[in-house]
Amino acid sequence: SLYNINQTKIMEDKLTNQMTNQSKIVRPSDDPVVAIRALRLRSNVSSVTQYHDKNAADADQWLTVTADALTTIDSVLKNLYEQATGAANKYETSEDLSIILEQMKSLTKEFYASGNVDYAGRYVFSGFRTDTAITFSAEDISQMQKHPVSYNITESIGYESISTINYTDFSVLDNGLPAGAAATESYEQYVTNTTMYRFRLAYNSVDGKNPDGTDKLPTLKHNGTDLTAAGAITSYATAEEAYKAVADGTEKGIAFIATTGELVFSKDYYEQQFKEGDTFEVNYDKSDWKEGDINPVHYFPCVETKDDGQKINYNTVKEDQDIYYDVGFNQKIQVNTVTTEVFTHDVQRDMDDFYSQSMQQLKAIETKISDIEKKMENLPEDHPDYQNLSKQLEGAKKADAYIRENIQVKFENQITKYQKYRDQNDLAITNNATRGSRLDLITQRLCNQKATFKELQTDNEGIDITQVAVELSSSELTYQAALMATGKIMQTNLMNYI
């Protein structure tokens, strides 16, 4: 009787556990086959849940943040395109152009600021350096002022990257006609507009002086030949001096301008020395950094030197900066868009050109014209100085026409450039959207796999609640009956039995 009662209690306990845990087994020994299959299915469910609920969701958020940033960048570039289009179609004064350029300058800042977006504390455009923004912040500059940092940067420049620049020389208006000039000669004859060629570095305000005050030249290699060592480069303090020296033929080689980050040379030098397919490498130092400057570690092989003498090498070995997420069994997807796919130094350097050359020349010639006209107002037309000022005014107006034409051409070129930048950004948007579409398909499949594995898990371990409830009720009745039968037996003693 005790054995029967105990067996009934064991069955009732088993069914109660099944009802409570909604599982056929509590321990592997209950059913080894079900237990082994359960371990495998639980592992599958756990993996799929990790891929679906965490990895894929994290990747989707990363792609979404990137897509939003790229959409903002497209809007910024579109506005820059429209500003350049408007400026190219108008005959603007320097004040009008200043307003337009200020708007373009603000948009340019927003262009780079959009690259500093982050997801969960990780910068999405910075490749593997997710803890480093693509531009220096105000806090970074504050730290650099306390602890100066210098970068030795190596840029590789292709032949196709050699650009042109137009320079109008109207110094004759200040210096007067050359000694020995004929009376019939005019100032107009000495106002020139020259097209020059240049290498434009990624940065302006590069180091142009050594600690001892001597000129510090960049190292320019042409097809492996060191042009700096060959004495082909001369340093100039200002862009005006360099442009004038190249324009009038005083500079026969290459003029280096540290303030604007340019290496300028004449058309003759360009045609004699360089040809299509040539390769160039420029090595220079930069220690003067400003808020918004692009961090060179994202673009170039460079060496960072801190104030304590510590040196850190970056990009000594070229490697991909693509970040991949595991989003399925043997499946990976790239989630990041690399800085170099979208952000180019040229957007900022284009603005530098307007401010460092175009606007300065336009303001200077407008001031010169205004000064000449004021002087002429106070003189009678038959005065000898009036005639000379009249000739100067003709020369100034010719220079003004050259400068305005150069500015218009520059804005027209900017229209093409901004469209090129937009095309580059559109390609990044397309690639990001393609990854997102692929991730959606993977996520849908993971969702289906997750549901399938859970269903298999339920079929393997799960119970039929109705059936177990009936069995539990029957087991309880059996247990009660066993107790009643045993109670009746216990009422009869051995003497009664005998």
Side-chain angles (χ1 to χ4, degrees), residues 299-317:
Y299 287 84
F300 309 112
C302 56
V303 180
E304 177 186 7
T305 303
K306 299 185 178 181
D307 59 342
D308 60 0
Q310 180 184 358
K311 295 181 182 292
I312 303 176
N313 290 289
Y314 294 97
N315 306 319
T316 53
V317 178

Side-chain angles (χ1 to χ4, degrees), residues 191-391:
V191 174
T192 60
N193 189 63
T194 306
T195 299
M196 297 174 288
Y197 292 77
R198 66 174 176 176
F199 295 110
R200 187 173 66 176
L201 304 180
Y203 300 96
N204 60 10
S205 299
V206 302
D207 294 352
K209 293 291 183 181
N210 291 306
D212 60 2
T214 57
D215 290 336
K216 186 175 188 177
L217 297 174
T219 300
L220 173 62
K221 292 185 178 180
H222 171 219
N223 294 335
T225 301
D226 191 339
L227 298 183
T228 305
I233 302 177
T234 305
S235 179
Y236 288 83
T238 66
E240 182 71 18
E241 292 178 7
Y243 295 155
K244 191 175 187 310
V246 174
D248 63 20
T250 303
E251 176 57 61
K252 303 296 184 182
I254 300 175
F256 169 58
I257 316 160
T259 54
T260 61
E262 294 175 291
L263 293 161
V264 184
F265 40 94
S266 67
K267 181 180 180 181
D268 289 340
Y269 187 90
Y270 169 76
E271 293 176 346
Q272 293 170 9
Q273 301 295 328
F274 306 142
K275 63 181 183 301
E276 188 172 356
D278 286 356
T279 59
F280 305 90
E281 184 179 275
V282 186
N283 180 271
Y284 58 94
D285 293 320
K286 179 173 172 62
S287 54
D288 180 18
W289 298 97
K290 295 180 177 59
E291 181 182 356
D293 283 344
I294 297 179
N295 193 327
V297 302
H298 297 301
Y299 287 84
F300 309 112
C302 56
V303 180
E304 177 186 7
T305 303
K306 299 185 178 181
D307 59 342
D308 60 0
Q310 180 184 358
K311 295 181 182 292
I312 303 176
N313 290 289
Y314 294 97
N315 306 319
T316 53
V317 178
K318 189 174 182 180
E319 58 181 350
D320 292 334
Q321 295 287 315
D322 300 335
I323 298 175
Y324 289 88
Y325 269 32
D326 286 323
V327 291
F329 298 101
N330 295 322
Q331 280 192 310
K332 296 181 179 181
I333 190 168
Q334 182 182 342
V335 297
N336 71 321
T337 299
V338 183
T339 306
T340 52
E341 294 181 54
V342 180
F343 302 97
T344 170
H345 293 76
D346 290 340
V347 177
Q348 179 59 57
R349 299 296 277 128
D350 291 341
M351 291 304 302
D352 292 342
D353 280 348
F354 277 113
Y355 280 98
S356 65
Q357 187 216 5
S358 302
M359 284 304 299
Q360 288 185 9
Q361 283 214 312
L362 181 59
K363 289 180 179 179
I365 197 61
E366 285 184 347
T367 301
K368 176 60 67 177
I369 292 174
S370 177
D371 291 344
I372 293 174
E373 290 176 340
K374 287 180 180 179
K375 290 178 181 179
M376 291 177 68
E377 289 176 359
N378 299 323
L379 294 174
E381 293 186 5
D382 58 350
H383 194 283
D385 289 343
Y386 186 91
Q387 299 300 322
N388 184 57
L389 289 171
S390 179
K391 291 181 179 180

